């Protein structure tokens, strides 16, 4: 990075110490602006990653900051590290129970979907620009993957909760499609630069090597790291660092041995996120923060790297490629990839629209420059413009589209803020401290009769800083702190007790699920007699649970709904893989 005079463009010699101090100041100031701007962007619904990108461009050599940064190798190094951290954090957020409905569809989207997206986008690129077939396909591969952080950041800021089938599929797809896009990009760059013969054989061999080694190293490295996190006795603050250093080590080993480092570190993240570890919440919070820092740094750097004036000649073809990707390639790829899984059409439309592009395409667009390919600048500028269009067009409309398609569900109960003191023993017990805030159902209840679950036990009640005698005989009062000994199984009951009652949430849930509740074993013939609805003869022997499972191929999720005559059945609660409670809405 170098500073230059905004008027003359001449570089001024700068003392190394002064340059270092300036870089620290400007870097910290830009990061601070990004954090502050992210809060403001939520109020206007702007995609937060777009804010980071624009701030980077404003700080660049053609912006008000006048900072010049043109080192492709440094950008690639930092971008790869940041991307690995983001994927690692995404893996930790992938819950094992979501794989029931999402693993097959997500892997299909991450493989078949990426290949189809790259192929269709490459076809359009070939006709819009004077590029060879391989170069056109390279453009398609570069922009082939989606960005999980961008999608879920926008949904969270809008306060939306999607049906599990949709959210889990998007989450796993976005975390697992990066290795496929990276593989395609690297392979096509090699084919173009080496002019290799028998490209089909070469691609298949490289695919088997990268994915096979990535899977093996990821699982092996993840298992070893989980055992270290369980068995090593360290200061609390060291556990998150051990997880990060271990994950990055697996990423590096996989890359050195010819495997997919991004796939390996994603698998490590999944294994850590689904293991019962000491200080698991501390590890998760730390990596959430580091992932956001990586996002901020990466988009600032990419904003600095681009030269806005060079984008002008490519506006029309780049816009055509972006629209083809968003409106044609992604929807077709989703339709083909999800065809075997019988997704409802509304969810397919939303998944198509959620093909939001983020930092990965811009990082991948640096590969041609590193390989010294002709038209390397064109690849980077096209990728940058496609990401820009995607963030503006899709990023600003994801929340309204979700509401319009009706695929959101009423928000589930969120565990209120509480203190956790872990007791290191073989049963992994914790002391949980909850505060009785206004509106909590626990207020006025006898502490000894609180409906705890999961083997939880009352420890004590603290009132105005004093531990009460005979806590089991005390009624919980406003601002009391209730201490409970339990484990993860106790959290749902405690959340219900210490979360303020929300009448509007109850009304939304009633409007969504209906005012009546059915057990899945209720027969449709009996429901027909009770509510006076017309049930076809062929269905009367079925239970309502069997009827719903037929419609969703035994993979129903909360929020799924089917209708008979004027009645609508809505899945309200699951017990593992089975439907536990069904809501009934009368038309």
């Amino acid at each position: 990075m170098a500073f230059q005079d905004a008027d003359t463009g001449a570089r001024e010699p700068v003392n190394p110490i002064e340059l270092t101090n300036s870089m620290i100041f400007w870097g910290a100031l830009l990061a601070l602006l990004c954090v502050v701007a992210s809060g403001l962007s939520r109020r206007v619904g702007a995609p937060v990653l777009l804010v980071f990108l624009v701030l980077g461009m404003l700080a660049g050599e053609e912006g008000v900051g006048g900072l010049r940064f043109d080192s492709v190798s440094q950008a690639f190094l930092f971008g790869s590290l940041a991307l690995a951290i983001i994927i690692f954090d995404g893996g930790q957020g992938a819950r094992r129970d979501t794989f029931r409905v999402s693993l097959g569809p997500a892997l299909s989207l991450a493989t078949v979907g990426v290949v189809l997206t790259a192929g269709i986008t490459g076809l359009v690129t070939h006709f819009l620009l004077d590029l060879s077939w391989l170069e056109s396909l390279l453009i398609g591969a570069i922009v082939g993957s989606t960005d999980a952080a961008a999608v879920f950041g926008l949904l969270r800021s809008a306060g939306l909760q999607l049906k599990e089938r949709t959210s889990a599929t998007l989450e796993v797809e976005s975390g697992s499609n990066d290795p496929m896009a990276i593989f395609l990009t690297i392979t096509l760059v090699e084919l173009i630069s080496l002019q290799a013969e028998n490209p089909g054989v070469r691609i298949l061999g490289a695919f088997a090597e990268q994915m096979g080694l990535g899977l093996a190293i990821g699982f092996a490295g993840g298992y070893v790291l989980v055992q270290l996190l369980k068995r090593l006795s360290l200061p609390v603050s060291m556990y998150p660092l051990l997880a990060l250093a271990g994950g990055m080590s697996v990423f590096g080993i996989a890359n050195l041995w010819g495997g997919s480092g991004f796939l390996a570190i994603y698998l490590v993240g999944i294994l850590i996120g689904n293991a019962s570890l000491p200080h698991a919440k501390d590890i998760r919070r730390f990596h959430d923060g580091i992932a956001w820092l990586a996002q901020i740094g990466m988009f600032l750097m990419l904003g600095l790297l681009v030269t806005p004036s060079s984008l002008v000649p490519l506006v029309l073809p780049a816009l055509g490629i972006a629209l083809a990707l968003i409106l044609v390639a992604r929807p077709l790829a989703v339709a083909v990839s999800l065809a075997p899984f019988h997704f409802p059409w509304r969810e397919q439309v939303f998944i198509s629209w959620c093909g939001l592009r983020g930092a990965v395409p811009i990082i991948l667009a640096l590969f041609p420059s590193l390989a010294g390919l002709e038209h390397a600048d064109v690849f980077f500028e096209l990728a940058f413009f496609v990401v820009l269009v995607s963030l503006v067009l899709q990023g600003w409309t994801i929340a309204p589209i979700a509401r319009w398609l009706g695929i959101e569900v009423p928000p589930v109960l969120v565990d209120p803020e509480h203190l956790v003191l872990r007791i290191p023993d073989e049963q992994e017990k914790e002391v949980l401290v909850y505060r009785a805030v206004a509106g909590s159902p626990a207020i006025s209840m006898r502490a000894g009769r609180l409906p705890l679950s999961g083997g939880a036990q009352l420890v004590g009640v603290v009132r105005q800083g004093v531990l009460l005698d005979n806590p089991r005989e005390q009624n919980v009062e406003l601002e009391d702190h209730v201490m409970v000994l339990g484990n993860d199984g106790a959290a749902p009951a405690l959340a219900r007790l210490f979360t303020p009652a929300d009448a509007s949430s109850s009304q939304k849930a009633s409007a969504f699920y209906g005012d009546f509740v059915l057990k899945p074993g209720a027969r449709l013939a009996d429901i027909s007699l009770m509510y006076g609805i017309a049930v076809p003869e062929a269905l009367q022997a079925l239970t309502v649970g069997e009827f719903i499972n037929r419609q969703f191929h035994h993979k129903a999720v909360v929020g799924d709904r089917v209708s008979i005559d004027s009645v609508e059945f809505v899945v309200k609660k699951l017990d593992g893989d089975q439907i536990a409670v069904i809501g009934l809405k009368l038309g």
Side-chain angles (χ1 to χ4, degrees), residues 321-395:
I321 293 169
L323 293 178
L325 169 66
I326 294 168
L327 302 177
V328 180
R330 172 70 176 179
L332 284 176
V334 168
V336 173
S337 301
L338 297 183
F341 303 100
H342 310 284
F343 268 53
W345 71 268
R346 292 177 181 273
E347 295 180 40
Q348 289 195 47
V349 171
F350 185 74
I351 290 172
S352 298
W353 194 249
C354 278
L356 197 66
R357 268 56 196 173
V360 178
I362 306 179
I363 296 297
L364 294 184
L366 298 175
F367 278 93
S369 295
L370 293 171
L373 295 188
E374 189 181 4
H375 309 306
D377 291 343
V378 174
F379 295 137
F380 180 80
E381 289 155 5
L382 282 173
F384 188 92
F385 195 90
V386 168
V387 170
L388 204 59
V389 172
S390 177
L391 287 174
V392 172
L393 181 60
Q394 294 172 291

Side-chain angles (χ1 to χ4, degrees), residues 132 134-136 138 187-196 373 379:
S132 68
L134 282 179
E135 290 173 326
S136 300
L138 177 57
T187 303
L188 287 167
V189 167
E190 290 180 354
L191 290 176
I192 293 171
S193 59
L194 300 177
Q195 297 294 321
L373 295 188
F379 295 137

Side-chain angles (χ1 to χ4, degrees), residues 185-257:
T185 300
I186 293 174
T187 303
L188 287 167
V189 167
E190 290 180 354
L191 290 176
I192 293 171
S193 59
L194 300 177
Q195 297 294 321
E197 297 181 359
N198 298 320
V201 175
R202 186 180 182 87
I203 290 174
L204 289 175
F207 179 80
E209 179 184 12
Q210 287 204 23
M211 299 305 165
L213 284 173
L215 284 169
I217 295 170
F219 277 118
Y223 175 79
V224 171
L225 186 54
V226 166
Q227 298 309 310
L228 286 174
L229 288 166
K230 284 182 176 180
R231 301 177 190 280
L232 285 182
S233 179
L234 299 169
V236 175
S237 58
M238 296 298 287
Y239 285 98
L241 294 178
L242 173 60
L244 178 61
M248 295 303 292
S249 297
V250 173
F251 171 72
I253 290 172
N255 284 328
L256 285 173
W257 290 355

Side-chain angles (χ1 to χ4, degrees), residues 439-484:
S440 300
I443 293 177
S444 299
M445 294 178 66
R446 184 72 59 86
R449 296 181 180 176
L450 291 173
L452 306 178
S453 64
Q457 299 171 282
L458 179 71
V459 174
V461 177
V462 177
R463 182 173 297 158
Q464 296 181 351
V466 177
L467 182 65
L468 301 182
D469 295 328
N470 300 318
R472 297 184 63 83
E473 303 303 320
Q474 303 287 340
N475 288 342
V476 178
E477 297 183 3
L478 182 67
E479 298 301 325
D480 280 356
H481 286 81
V482 179
M483 297 183 290
V484 174

Side-chain angles (χ1 to χ4, degrees), residues 239-322:
Y239 285 98
L241 294 178
L242 173 60
L244 178 61
M248 295 303 292
S249 297
V250 173
F251 171 72
I253 290 172
N255 284 328
L256 285 173
W257 290 355
S260 171
F262 293 102
L263 177 58
I265 198 171
Y266 182 65
L267 292 174
V268 174
I270 291 176
L271 292 175
I272 289 176
N274 288 279
S276 181
L277 299 173
H279 312 293
K281 292 180 180 178
D282 294 325
I283 293 172
R284 191 77 184 93
R285 290 192 188 105
F286 173 82
H287 285 101
D288 278 343
I290 290 294
W292 270 112
L293 182 62
Q295 289 269 22
I296 290 172
M298 187 160 52
F299 273 83
L300 280 175
M301 177 197 68
L302 295 173
L304 288 170
L305 193 61
V306 74
T307 306
S309 60
S310 64
L311 299 176
V312 176
L314 292 172
V315 166
L316 291 180
L319 184 60
I321 293 169

